[in-house]
Amino acid sequence: MVCVVISGGQWGDEGKAKITDLLSDKADFIVRYQGGANAGHTVSTKEGLFKFHLIPSGILFDNKTCIIGPGTVIEPGFLINEIENLKKQGINLQGLKISGLAHITMPWHIDIDKAADTVGSTGKGIGPTYTDKAKRHGIQLHDLLSEKTLREKLQRVLPKQNQALQKIHNLNAYSEDEIVEKYLKYGEFFKPYLGDVINDLYKARKDEKNILFEGAQGTLLDITFGSYPYVTSSTPVSGGACVGSGVGPTIIDKSIGVFKCFSTRVGDGPFPSELAYDSQEAIKLRQDGTQWAEFGTTTGRMRRVGWFDAVLAKYAVRVNSFTGIALTKLDTLDSFDEINICIAYLNKETGEMIQELPYASSSLLSQCEPVFQSFPGWNELIHGSKSWDSLPSKAQKYVELISRTLETPVNIVSTGPDREHSIFLDDIF
Ligand code: GDP
Ligand code: IMO
Ligand code: MG
């Protein structure tokens, strides 16, 4: 049995879904442990392009159990769409199991997220849903199975929500009956998918099964460790796999950090190694016009881009205890004469040089100016390469440099969006 956590080392969109799909072949269970429909995960296979928001990227393989865990938040209509779209694409969803502990994004959460957003959120109601979870005002998936329970919960929370909607946001209120009718139907829809995922994972461990935990978002969007307050509202770091799934840390064997070989960010907040939006380098890094161009899968927003930030990546290695790295999109650097890496920060206010960042809050990051070191690019096509030996030596050196700087082995190099565009430097399972 091997238990592996896959989590994002940067600001999300590192290619976690590609890596999860790649490793799912040998996994028996694939578990999404946090976040909600804010995530946009793309997997490219010979059968087509698949987009996931909540469903684990392992679902493309038959005979796997794919779990939407207790730490996630679910907008039922959105998840039903995701399920129906995958069915239309011929995907078998029999292996899908959902925890009744997941919190439900109610319509007022989306209204409030859109009306009161201050961080450039995805507008999917994520922040308000987790806020209500913490305030003990949340509604969970298992509450949608009983009219009595749902009404009791709504009677506790709906008057307060309506008051906020009307008085603070000047929006319409919701009626209890309207919500009960709609959400009991959602409960019926999800009944066949509900499962005792805590017990399933306990048994999986006893039966020596391989388990893969799939993170959403990334370290710098983590509510505790990210560039607060420009973060999401959950715990994307590897430790979140335990609290979001219902297992303890003793079962985790490996923690793989997925990093792009440059940086991207969607939404607001500091980004020290960012390149000017219309600079030649940014345009090349965004790869506009390709299937893997840098725009958000969930919101369609263009992603901000910049060079690889080793200061933040080293910080991510520390807070996640990564045992290995999956380095993605190496092919994006194919046409550069020169590649930069941010190796330190200059704190503009104190004059201090920072190599080991103590924390990544936006107050500190916004004082930091990047110090770049440049390296010769390989300037040749490696897109789709499948072996280490076929990489130009300059590309190998770039990967080795990242590994050395992060003091962590690079286990996988990704050279394109497809499963086959991958180089395994170590076995994971
Ligand atoms: P996630 O949110 O971390 O799962 O990442 P996304 O799916 O949002 O974004 C990653 C994008 O890059 C997707 O379009 C992938 O198909 C694509 N991708 C992943 N790895 C590679 C790679 O090595 N090279 C290229 N060119 N595209 C990749
Ligand atoms: P995946 O799983 C990139 C960003 C939003 C915003 C901030 C807060 O595809 O990597 P939220 O809606 O969560 O309250 O928004 O977090 N964000 C992401 N950025 N990838 C994601 O997910 C993201 N999920 C949220 O753009 O800046
Ligand atoms: Mg994404």
Side-chain angles (χ1 to χ4, degrees), residues 134-180:
K135 272 166 87 178
R136 280 68 55 92
H137 284 183
I139 293 172
Q140 290 168 287
L141 183 54
H142 58 57
D143 297 331
L144 307 188
L145 301 178
S146 141
E147 179 168 351
K148 181 170 171 289
T149 312
L150 182 57
R151 282 198 185 274
E152 276 169 13
K153 287 246 170 154
L154 286 171
Q155 281 155 17
R156 271 189 63 204
V157 306
L158 194 54
K160 294 186 191 80
Q161 299 288 0
N162 278 337
Q163 207 180 12
L165 286 171
Q166 291 175 302
K167 298 218 166 122
I168 303 175
H169 304 293
N170 207 14
L171 293 168
N172 292 333
Y174 290 92
S175 91
E176 183 184 314
D177 286 343
E178 147 198 36
I179 295 290
V180 168

mmCIF file of all heavy atoms in Angstrom, residues 134-180:
data_model
loop_
_atom_site.group_PDB
_atom_site.id
_atom_site.type_symbol
_atom_site.label_atom_id
_atom_site.label_comp_id
_atom_site.label_asym_id
_atom_site.label_seq_id
_atom_site.Cartn_x
_atom_site.Cartn_y
_atom_site.Cartn_z
ATOM 1 N N ALA A 134 -17.521 27.546 9.287
ATOM 2 C CA ALA A 134 -16.813 27.937 10.510
ATOM 3 C C ALA A 134 -17.747 28.609 11.523
ATOM 4 O O ALA A 134 -17.557 28.492 12.730
ATOM 5 C CB ALA A 134 -15.650 28.861 10.153
ATOM 6 N N LYS A 135 -18.771 29.309 11.005
ATOM 7 C CA LYS A 135 -19.723 29.983 11.910
ATOM 8 C C LYS A 135 -20.763 29.017 12.486
ATOM 9 O O LYS A 135 -21.656 29.436 13.203
ATOM 10 C CB LYS A 135 -20.480 31.074 11.128
ATOM 11 C CG LYS A 135 -19.783 32.418 11.110
ATOM 12 C CD LYS A 135 -20.393 33.327 10.069
ATOM 13 C CE LYS A 135 -21.564 34.116 10.575
ATOM 14 N NZ LYS A 135 -22.078 35.029 9.512
ATOM 15 N N ARG A 136 -20.687 27.752 12.073
ATOM 16 C CA ARG A 136 -21.680 26.729 12.466
ATOM 17 C C ARG A 136 -23.049 27.037 11.870
ATOM 18 O O ARG A 136 -24.075 26.740 12.461
ATOM 19 C CB ARG A 136 -21.777 26.571 14.003
ATOM 20 C CG ARG A 136 -20.691 25.737 14.648
ATOM 21 C CD ARG A 136 -19.303 26.309 14.630
ATOM 22 N NE ARG A 136 -19.136 27.627 15.202
ATOM 23 C CZ ARG A 136 -18.819 27.876 16.464
ATOM 24 N NH1 ARG A 136 -18.621 26.882 17.300
ATOM 25 N NH2 ARG A 136 -18.643 29.116 16.892
ATOM 26 N N HIS A 137 -23.049 27.673 10.689
ATOM 27 C CA HIS A 137 -24.289 27.986 9.990
ATOM 28 C C HIS A 137 -24.414 27.180 8.693
ATOM 29 O O HIS A 137 -25.225 27.526 7.843
ATOM 30 C CB HIS A 137 -24.335 29.480 9.612
ATOM 31 C CG HIS A 137 -24.639 30.380 10.750
ATOM 32 N ND1 HIS A 137 -24.788 31.731 10.615
ATOM 33 C CD2 HIS A 137 -24.839 30.114 12.065
ATOM 34 C CE1 HIS A 137 -25.045 32.273 11.801
ATOM 35 N NE2 HIS A 137 -25.075 31.305 12.686
ATOM 36 N N GLY A 138 -23.605 26.170 8.529
ATOM 37 C CA GLY A 138 -23.557 25.478 7.238
ATOM 38 C C GLY A 138 -24.623 24.403 7.095
ATOM 39 O O GLY A 138 -25.183 23.913 8.075
ATOM 40 N N ILE A 139 -24.880 24.048 5.852
ATOM 41 C CA ILE A 139 -25.774 22.930 5.540
ATOM 42 C C ILE A 139 -24.921 21.892 4.827
ATOM 43 O O ILE A 139 -24.159 22.235 3.916
ATOM 44 C CB ILE A 139 -26.948 23.413 4.660
ATOM 45 C CG1 ILE A 139 -27.818 24.354 5.515
ATOM 46 C CG2 ILE A 139 -27.770 22.250 4.119
ATOM 47 C CD1 ILE A 139 -28.905 25.067 4.762
ATOM 48 N N GLN A 140 -25.030 20.640 5.306
ATOM 49 C CA GLN A 140 -24.176 19.594 4.735
ATOM 50 C C GLN A 140 -24.973 18.709 3.790
ATOM 51 O O GLN A 140 -26.211 18.689 3.850
ATOM 52 C CB GLN A 140 -23.569 18.768 5.879
ATOM 53 C CG GLN A 140 -22.547 19.567 6.666
ATOM 54 C CD GLN A 140 -22.157 18.873 7.956
ATOM 55 O OE1 GLN A 140 -22.945 18.830 8.904
ATOM 56 N NE2 GLN A 140 -20.955 18.341 7.992
ATOM 57 N N LEU A 141 -24.247 17.962 2.967
ATOM 58 C CA LEU A 141 -24.937 17.146 1.959
ATOM 59 C C LEU A 141 -25.937 16.202 2.625
ATOM 60 O O LEU A 141 -27.057 16.023 2.130
ATOM 61 C CB LEU A 141 -23.895 16.376 1.120
ATOM 62 C CG LEU A 141 -24.447 15.542 -0.025
ATOM 63 C CD1 LEU A 141 -25.333 16.363 -0.954
ATOM 64 C CD2 LEU A 141 -23.323 14.918 -0.831
ATOM 65 N N HIS A 142 -25.572 15.595 3.767
ATOM 66 C CA HIS A 142 -26.529 14.636 4.368
ATOM 67 C C HIS A 142 -27.790 15.322 4.887
ATOM 68 O O HIS A 142 -28.813 14.675 5.091
ATOM 69 C CB HIS A 142 -25.864 13.735 5.411
ATOM 70 C CG HIS A 142 -25.203 14.451 6.549
ATOM 71 N ND1 HIS A 142 -25.864 15.330 7.359
ATOM 72 C CD2 HIS A 142 -23.940 14.403 7.010
ATOM 73 C CE1 HIS A 142 -25.027 15.787 8.267
ATOM 74 N NE2 HIS A 142 -23.851 15.260 8.072
ATOM 75 N N ASP A 143 -27.752 16.650 5.067
ATOM 76 C CA ASP A 143 -28.962 17.370 5.500
ATOM 77 C C ASP A 143 -30.021 17.414 4.398
ATOM 78 O O ASP A 143 -31.181 17.728 4.663
ATOM 79 C CB ASP A 143 -28.632 18.821 5.895
ATOM 80 C CG ASP A 143 -27.698 18.885 7.094
ATOM 81 O OD1 ASP A 143 -27.742 17.965 7.927
ATOM 82 O OD2 ASP A 143 -26.929 19.870 7.185
ATOM 83 N N LEU A 144 -29.595 17.156 3.157
ATOM 84 C CA LEU A 144 -30.538 17.259 2.031
ATOM 85 C C LEU A 144 -31.376 15.985 1.878
ATOM 86 O O LEU A 144 -32.193 15.870 0.969
ATOM 87 C CB LEU A 144 -29.799 17.532 0.715
ATOM 88 C CG LEU A 144 -28.842 18.727 0.671
ATOM 89 C CD1 LEU A 144 -28.356 18.973 -0.746
ATOM 90 C CD2 LEU A 144 -29.503 19.996 1.220
ATOM 91 N N LEU A 145 -31.151 15.014 2.788
ATOM 92 C CA LEU A 145 -31.883 13.747 2.653
ATOM 93 C C LEU A 145 -33.171 13.731 3.461
ATOM 94 O O LEU A 145 -33.995 12.837 3.306
ATOM 95 C CB LEU A 145 -30.984 12.575 3.101
ATOM 96 C CG LEU A 145 -29.678 12.423 2.329
ATOM 97 C CD1 LEU A 145 -28.853 11.274 2.871
ATOM 98 C CD2 LEU A 145 -29.971 12.204 0.841
ATOM 99 N N SER A 146 -33.334 14.696 4.370
ATOM 100 C CA SER A 146 -34.523 14.674 5.222
ATOM 101 C C SER A 146 -35.157 16.059 5.255
ATOM 102 O O SER A 146 -34.492 17.059 5.568
ATOM 103 C CB SER A 146 -34.113 14.229 6.635
ATOM 104 O OG SER A 146 -34.808 14.954 7.625
ATOM 105 N N GLU A 147 -36.450 16.114 4.952
ATOM 106 C CA GLU A 147 -37.139 17.412 4.937
ATOM 107 C C GLU A 147 -37.108 18.036 6.333
ATOM 108 O O GLU A 147 -36.885 19.244 6.483
ATOM 109 C CB GLU A 147 -38.583 17.251 4.447
ATOM 110 C CG GLU A 147 -39.314 18.588 4.454
ATOM 111 C CD GLU A 147 -40.645 18.587 3.732
ATOM 112 O OE1 GLU A 147 -40.982 17.603 3.044
ATOM 113 O OE2 GLU A 147 -41.374 19.601 3.864
ATOM 114 N N LYS A 148 -37.295 17.163 7.367
ATOM 115 C CA LYS A 148 -37.344 17.691 8.738
ATOM 116 C C LYS A 148 -35.997 18.374 9.087
ATOM 117 O O LYS A 148 -35.957 19.508 9.546
ATOM 118 C CB LYS A 148 -37.616 16.516 9.696
ATOM 119 C CG LYS A 148 -37.731 16.891 11.144
ATOM 120 C CD LYS A 148 -38.249 15.694 11.963
ATOM 121 C CE LYS A 148 -38.180 15.946 13.449
ATOM 122 N NZ LYS A 148 -36.817 15.962 13.974
ATOM 123 N N THR A 149 -34.913 17.664 8.796
ATOM 124 C CA THR A 149 -33.584 18.222 9.121
ATOM 125 C C THR A 149 -33.319 19.497 8.316
ATOM 126 O O THR A 149 -32.827 20.493 8.852
ATOM 127 C CB THR A 149 -32.465 17.196 8.789
ATOM 128 O OG1 THR A 149 -32.855 15.948 9.331
ATOM 129 C CG2 THR A 149 -31.125 17.605 9.319
ATOM 130 N N LEU A 150 -33.639 19.441 7.026
ATOM 131 C CA LEU A 150 -33.346 20.600 6.185
ATOM 132 C C LEU A 150 -34.130 21.815 6.667
ATOM 133 O O LEU A 150 -33.575 22.922 6.780
ATOM 134 C CB LEU A 150 -33.662 20.268 4.716
ATOM 135 C CG LEU A 150 -33.360 21.367 3.705
ATOM 136 C CD1 LEU A 150 -31.891 21.798 3.749
ATOM 137 C CD2 LEU A 150 -33.703 20.918 2.272
ATOM 138 N N ARG A 151 -35.416 21.589 6.993
ATOM 139 C CA ARG A 151 -36.222 22.731 7.470
ATOM 140 C C ARG A 151 -35.656 23.277 8.785
ATOM 141 O O ARG A 151 -35.561 24.496 8.973
ATOM 142 C CB ARG A 151 -37.687 22.323 7.659
ATOM 143 C CG ARG A 151 -38.431 22.251 6.340
ATOM 144 C CD ARG A 151 -39.945 22.289 6.521
ATOM 145 N NE ARG A 151 -40.602 22.108 5.234
ATOM 146 C CZ ARG A 151 -40.866 23.074 4.361
ATOM 147 N NH1 ARG A 151 -40.543 24.317 4.627
ATOM 148 N NH2 ARG A 151 -41.452 22.810 3.207
ATOM 149 N N GLU A 152 -35.269 22.372 9.693
ATOM 150 C CA GLU A 152 -34.707 22.828 10.980
ATOM 151 C C GLU A 152 -33.467 23.695 10.757
ATOM 152 O O GLU A 152 -33.299 24.754 11.347
ATOM 153 C CB GLU A 152 -34.336 21.627 11.851
ATOM 154 C CG GLU A 152 -35.500 21.079 12.641
ATOM 155 C CD GLU A 152 -35.174 19.733 13.297
ATOM 156 O OE1 GLU A 152 -33.973 19.347 13.352
ATOM 157 O OE2 GLU A 152 -36.124 19.078 13.739
ATOM 158 N N LYS A 153 -32.611 23.197 9.869
ATOM 159 C CA LYS A 153 -31.370 23.953 9.592
ATOM 160 C C LYS A 153 -31.697 25.305 8.968
ATOM 161 O O LYS A 153 -31.128 26.335 9.334
ATOM 162 C CB LYS A 153 -30.473 23.164 8.641
ATOM 163 C CG LYS A 153 -29.813 21.971 9.299
ATOM 164 C CD LYS A 153 -28.326 22.181 9.356
ATOM 165 C CE LYS A 153 -27.673 21.131 10.206
ATOM 166 N NZ LYS A 153 -26.296 20.880 9.869
ATOM 167 N N LEU A 154 -32.608 25.294 8.006
ATOM 168 C CA LEU A 154 -32.943 26.547 7.322
ATOM 169 C C LEU A 154 -33.562 27.539 8.295
ATOM 170 O O LEU A 154 -33.291 28.747 8.210
ATOM 171 C CB LEU A 154 -33.897 26.274 6.151
ATOM 172 C CG LEU A 154 -33.251 25.631 4.925
ATOM 173 C CD1 LEU A 154 -34.312 25.199 3.912
ATOM 174 C CD2 LEU A 154 -32.259 26.585 4.258
ATOM 175 N N GLN A 155 -34.387 27.017 9.223
ATOM 176 C CA GLN A 155 -35.021 27.953 10.164
ATOM 177 C C GLN A 155 -33.980 28.629 11.055
ATOM 178 O O GLN A 155 -34.153 29.755 11.495
ATOM 179 C CB GLN A 155 -36.100 27.224 10.986
ATOM 180 C CG GLN A 155 -37.380 27.080 10.157
ATOM 181 C CD GLN A 155 -38.276 25.918 10.576
ATOM 182 O OE1 GLN A 155 -38.140 25.382 11.669
ATOM 183 N NE2 GLN A 155 -39.181 25.525 9.686
ATOM 184 N N ARG A 156 -32.864 27.947 11.283
ATOM 185 C CA ARG A 156 -31.776 28.564 12.073
ATOM 186 C C ARG A 156 -31.028 29.623 11.265
ATOM 187 O O ARG A 156 -30.587 30.624 11.804
ATOM 188 C CB ARG A 156 -30.757 27.486 12.487
ATOM 189 C CG ARG A 156 -31.075 26.816 13.811
ATOM 190 C CD ARG A 156 -29.920 25.937 14.240
ATOM 191 N NE ARG A 156 -28.694 26.691 14.486
ATOM 192 C CZ ARG A 156 -27.475 26.183 14.418
ATOM 193 N NH1 ARG A 156 -27.292 24.944 14.070
ATOM 194 N NH2 ARG A 156 -26.430 26.918 14.678
ATOM 195 N N VAL A 157 -30.823 29.334 9.970
ATOM 196 C CA VAL A 157 -29.886 30.205 9.232
ATOM 197 C C VAL A 157 -30.527 31.149 8.216
ATOM 198 O O VAL A 157 -29.993 32.228 7.964
ATOM 199 C CB VAL A 157 -28.766 29.389 8.519
ATOM 200 C CG1 VAL A 157 -28.042 28.497 9.502
ATOM 201 C CG2 VAL A 157 -29.308 28.549 7.364
ATOM 202 N N LEU A 158 -31.656 30.739 7.648
ATOM 203 C CA LEU A 158 -32.189 31.525 6.524
ATOM 204 C C LEU A 158 -32.597 32.955 6.911
ATOM 205 O O LEU A 158 -32.297 33.896 6.155
ATOM 206 C CB LEU A 158 -33.328 30.767 5.835
ATOM 207 C CG LEU A 158 -33.758 31.306 4.464
ATOM 208 C CD1 LEU A 158 -32.588 31.428 3.496
ATOM 209 C CD2 LEU A 158 -34.841 30.422 3.853
ATOM 210 N N PRO A 159 -33.243 33.164 8.069
ATOM 211 C CA PRO A 159 -33.593 34.557 8.404
ATOM 212 C C PRO A 159 -32.358 35.467 8.441
ATOM 213 O O PRO A 159 -32.401 36.593 7.939
ATOM 214 C CB PRO A 159 -34.233 34.430 9.792
ATOM 215 C CG PRO A 159 -34.730 33.009 9.855
ATOM 216 C CD PRO A 159 -33.751 32.204 9.064
ATOM 217 N N LYS A 160 -31.255 34.954 8.991
ATOM 218 C CA LYS A 160 -30.029 35.790 9.064
ATOM 219 C C LYS A 160 -29.475 36.031 7.662
ATOM 220 O O LYS A 160 -29.026 37.130 7.324
ATOM 221 C CB LYS A 160 -28.955 35.090 9.908
ATOM 222 C CG LYS A 160 -29.323 34.954 11.372
ATOM 223 C CD LYS A 160 -28.150 34.396 12.162
ATOM 224 C CE LYS A 160 -28.544 33.986 13.571
ATOM 225 N NZ LYS A 160 -29.219 32.676 13.673
ATOM 226 N N GLN A 161 -29.499 34.990 6.837
ATOM 227 C CA GLN A 161 -28.986 35.147 5.471
ATOM 228 C C GLN A 161 -29.833 36.173 4.715
ATOM 229 O O GLN A 161 -29.305 37.046 4.026
ATOM 230 C CB GLN A 161 -29.021 33.812 4.716
ATOM 231 C CG GLN A 161 -28.175 32.719 5.326
ATOM 232 C CD GLN A 161 -26.680 32.958 5.150
ATOM 233 O OE1 GLN A 161 -26.259 33.956 4.560
ATOM 234 N NE2 GLN A 161 -25.866 32.072 5.695
ATOM 235 N N ASN A 162 -31.155 36.050 4.855
ATOM 236 C CA ASN A 162 -32.051 36.957 4.126
ATOM 237 C C ASN A 162 -31.856 38.400 4.572
ATOM 238 O O ASN A 162 -31.875 39.330 3.764
ATOM 239 C CB ASN A 162 -33.507 36.524 4.315
ATOM 240 C CG ASN A 162 -33.855 35.385 3.346
ATOM 241 O OD1 ASN A 162 -33.202 35.218 2.310
ATOM 242 N ND2 ASN A 162 -34.864 34.613 3.678
ATOM 243 N N GLN A 163 -31.653 38.542 5.877
ATOM 244 C CA GLN A 163 -31.425 39.894 6.398
ATOM 245 C C GLN A 163 -30.173 40.506 5.757
ATOM 246 O O GLN A 163 -30.169 41.648 5.302
ATOM 247 C CB GLN A 163 -31.249 39.794 7.905
ATOM 248 C CG GLN A 163 -31.639 41.055 8.603
ATOM 249 C CD GLN A 163 -31.445 40.922 10.111
ATOM 250 O OE1 GLN A 163 -30.815 39.981 10.597
ATOM 251 N NE2 GLN A 163 -31.966 41.865 10.843
ATOM 252 N N ALA A 164 -29.113 39.697 5.704
ATOM 253 C CA ALA A 164 -27.865 40.196 5.106
ATOM 254 C C ALA A 164 -28.065 40.490 3.624
ATOM 255 O O ALA A 164 -27.637 41.533 3.110
ATOM 256 C CB ALA A 164 -26.752 39.168 5.300
ATOM 257 N N LEU A 165 -28.744 39.577 2.933
ATOM 258 C CA LEU A 165 -28.957 39.769 1.492
ATOM 259 C C LEU A 165 -29.696 41.082 1.232
ATOM 260 O O LEU A 165 -29.302 41.866 0.373
ATOM 261 C CB LEU A 165 -29.775 38.608 0.910
ATOM 262 C CG LEU A 165 -29.039 37.280 0.741
ATOM 263 C CD1 LEU A 165 -30.016 36.168 0.377
ATOM 264 C CD2 LEU A 165 -27.975 37.390 -0.360
ATOM 265 N N GLN A 166 -30.765 41.299 2.012
ATOM 266 C CA GLN A 166 -31.616 42.470 1.732
ATOM 267 C C GLN A 166 -31.008 43.760 2.252
ATOM 268 O O GLN A 166 -30.941 44.752 1.545
ATOM 269 C CB GLN A 166 -32.996 42.258 2.358
ATOM 270 C CG GLN A 166 -33.776 41.162 1.645
ATOM 271 C CD GLN A 166 -35.100 40.863 2.325
ATOM 272 O OE1 GLN A 166 -35.157 40.516 3.500
ATOM 273 N NE2 GLN A 166 -36.182 41.012 1.583
ATOM 274 N N LYS A 167 -30.558 43.722 3.527
ATOM 275 C CA LYS A 167 -30.147 44.990 4.144
ATOM 276 C C LYS A 167 -28.740 45.414 3.754
ATOM 277 O O LYS A 167 -28.457 46.594 3.596
ATOM 278 C CB LYS A 167 -30.249 44.864 5.672
ATOM 279 C CG LYS A 167 -31.681 44.608 6.125
ATOM 280 C CD LYS A 167 -31.996 45.346 7.395
ATOM 281 C CE LYS A 167 -33.495 45.360 7.637
ATOM 282 N NZ LYS A 167 -33.902 44.783 8.880
ATOM 283 N N ILE A 168 -27.832 44.432 3.628
ATOM 284 C CA ILE A 168 -26.434 44.821 3.339
ATOM 285 C C ILE A 168 -26.194 44.862 1.835
ATOM 286 O O ILE A 168 -25.570 45.778 1.320
ATOM 287 C CB ILE A 168 -25.429 43.858 4.020
ATOM 288 C CG1 ILE A 168 -25.692 43.822 5.519
ATOM 289 C CG2 ILE A 168 -23.974 44.246 3.705
ATOM 290 C CD1 ILE A 168 -24.855 42.822 6.276
ATOM 291 N N HIS A 169 -26.710 43.859 1.142
ATOM 292 C CA HIS A 169 -26.342 43.749 -0.282
ATOM 293 C C HIS A 169 -27.439 44.198 -1.243
ATOM 294 O O HIS A 169 -27.240 44.151 -2.459
ATOM 295 C CB HIS A 169 -25.940 42.299 -0.588
ATOM 296 C CG HIS A 169 -24.840 41.790 0.283
ATOM 297 N ND1 HIS A 169 -23.558 42.284 0.234
ATOM 298 C CD2 HIS A 169 -24.839 40.856 1.263
ATOM 299 C CE1 HIS A 169 -22.817 41.659 1.125
ATOM 300 N NE2 HIS A 169 -23.568 40.794 1.773
ATOM 301 N N ASN A 170 -28.598 44.567 -0.679
ATOM 302 C CA ASN A 170 -29.697 45.020 -1.524
ATOM 303 C C ASN A 170 -30.109 43.965 -2.560
ATOM 304 O O ASN A 170 -30.340 44.266 -3.731
ATOM 305 C CB ASN A 170 -29.259 46.325 -2.222
ATOM 306 C CG ASN A 170 -30.448 47.188 -2.547
ATOM 307 O OD1 ASN A 170 -31.544 46.943 -2.027
ATOM 308 N ND2 ASN A 170 -30.257 48.181 -3.403
ATOM 309 N N LEU A 171 -30.133 42.715 -2.095
ATOM 310 C CA LEU A 171 -30.471 41.603 -2.995
ATOM 311 C C LEU A 171 -31.761 40.946 -2.518
ATOM 312 O O LEU A 171 -32.224 41.195 -1.399
ATOM 313 C CB LEU A 171 -29.335 40.566 -2.995
ATOM 314 C CG LEU A 171 -28.013 41.019 -3.591
ATOM 315 C CD1 LEU A 171 -26.901 40.022 -3.256
ATOM 316 C CD2 LEU A 171 -28.133 41.169 -5.106
ATOM 317 N N ASN A 172 -32.293 40.041 -3.343
ATOM 318 C CA ASN A 172 -33.556 39.383 -2.985
ATOM 319 C C ASN A 172 -33.356 38.293 -1.935
ATOM 320 O O ASN A 172 -32.314 37.640 -1.900
ATOM 321 C CB ASN A 172 -34.179 38.738 -4.222
ATOM 322 C CG ASN A 172 -34.643 39.811 -5.184
ATOM 323 O OD1 ASN A 172 -34.959 40.931 -4.761
ATOM 324 N ND2 ASN A 172 -34.662 39.483 -6.467
ATOM 325 N N ALA A 173 -34.408 38.093 -1.127
ATOM 326 C CA ALA A 173 -34.389 37.031 -0.115
ATOM 327 C C ALA A 173 -34.838 35.709 -0.746
ATOM 328 O O ALA A 173 -35.353 35.689 -1.861
ATOM 329 C CB ALA A 173 -35.325 37.416 1.019
ATOM 330 N N TYR A 174 -34.602 34.609 -0.026
ATOM 331 C CA TYR A 174 -35.054 33.279 -0.479
ATOM 332 C C TYR A 174 -36.145 32.776 0.459
ATOM 333 O O TYR A 174 -36.097 33.032 1.671
ATOM 334 C CB TYR A 174 -33.872 32.303 -0.477
ATOM 335 C CG TYR A 174 -32.876 32.615 -1.569
ATOM 336 C CD1 TYR A 174 -31.783 33.458 -1.325
ATOM 337 C CD2 TYR A 174 -33.038 32.115 -2.854
ATOM 338 C CE1 TYR A 174 -30.886 33.772 -2.331
ATOM 339 C CE2 TYR A 174 -32.138 32.428 -3.866
ATOM 340 C CZ TYR A 174 -31.060 33.246 -3.602
ATOM 341 O OH TYR A 174 -30.184 33.549 -4.599
ATOM 342 N N SER A 175 -37.098 32.019 -0.099
ATOM 343 C CA SER A 175 -38.139 31.480 0.780
ATOM 344 C C SER A 175 -37.766 30.050 1.161
ATOM 345 O O SER A 175 -37.177 29.307 0.360
ATOM 346 C CB SER A 175 -39.504 31.526 0.086
ATOM 347 O OG SER A 175 -39.723 30.316 -0.616
ATOM 348 N N GLU A 176 -38.129 29.690 2.380
ATOM 349 C CA GLU A 176 -37.795 28.359 2.887
ATOM 350 C C GLU A 176 -38.382 27.278 1.970
ATOM 351 O O GLU A 176 -37.680 26.322 1.600
ATOM 352 C CB GLU A 176 -38.344 28.230 4.313
ATOM 353 C CG GLU A 176 -37.985 26.896 4.948
ATOM 354 C CD GLU A 176 -38.619 26.731 6.328
ATOM 355 O OE1 GLU A 176 -38.558 27.683 7.127
ATOM 356 O OE2 GLU A 176 -39.170 25.648 6.586
ATOM 357 N N ASP A 177 -39.653 27.456 1.575
ATOM 358 C CA ASP A 177 -40.308 26.410 0.770
ATOM 359 C C ASP A 177 -39.609 26.213 -0.582
ATOM 360 O O ASP A 177 -39.399 25.081 -1.027
ATOM 361 C CB ASP A 177 -41.786 26.775 0.531
ATOM 362 C CG ASP A 177 -42.602 26.556 1.812
ATOM 363 O OD1 ASP A 177 -42.116 25.852 2.719
ATOM 364 O OD2 ASP A 177 -43.707 27.118 1.901
ATOM 365 N N GLU A 178 -39.236 27.338 -1.164
ATOM 366 C CA GLU A 178 -38.572 27.266 -2.482
ATOM 367 C C GLU A 178 -37.247 26.480 -2.350
ATOM 368 O O GLU A 178 -36.926 25.598 -3.149
ATOM 369 C CB GLU A 178 -38.374 28.716 -2.962
ATOM 370 C CG GLU A 178 -37.174 29.039 -3.791
ATOM 371 C CD GLU A 178 -36.855 30.565 -3.845
ATOM 372 O OE1 GLU A 178 -37.019 31.333 -2.854
ATOM 373 O OE2 GLU A 178 -36.399 30.966 -4.906
ATOM 374 N N ILE A 179 -36.492 26.783 -1.299
ATOM 375 C CA ILE A 179 -35.204 26.104 -1.096
ATOM 376 C C ILE A 179 -35.428 24.624 -0.773
ATOM 377 O O ILE A 179 -34.758 23.744 -1.331
ATOM 378 C CB ILE A 179 -34.409 26.781 0.060
ATOM 379 C CG1 ILE A 179 -34.025 28.209 -0.333
ATOM 380 C CG2 ILE A 179 -33.183 25.973 0.468
ATOM 381 C CD1 ILE A 179 -32.969 28.315 -1.417
ATOM 382 N N VAL A 180 -36.401 24.340 0.092
ATOM 383 C CA VAL A 180 -36.640 22.942 0.494
ATOM 384 C C VAL A 180 -36.990 22.114 -0.738
ATOM 385 O O VAL A 180 -36.422 21.033 -0.964
ATOM 386 C CB VAL A 180 -37.760 22.868 1.570
ATOM 387 C CG1 VAL A 180 -38.222 21.419 1.767
ATOM 388 C CG2 VAL A 180 -37.256 23.442 2.885
#
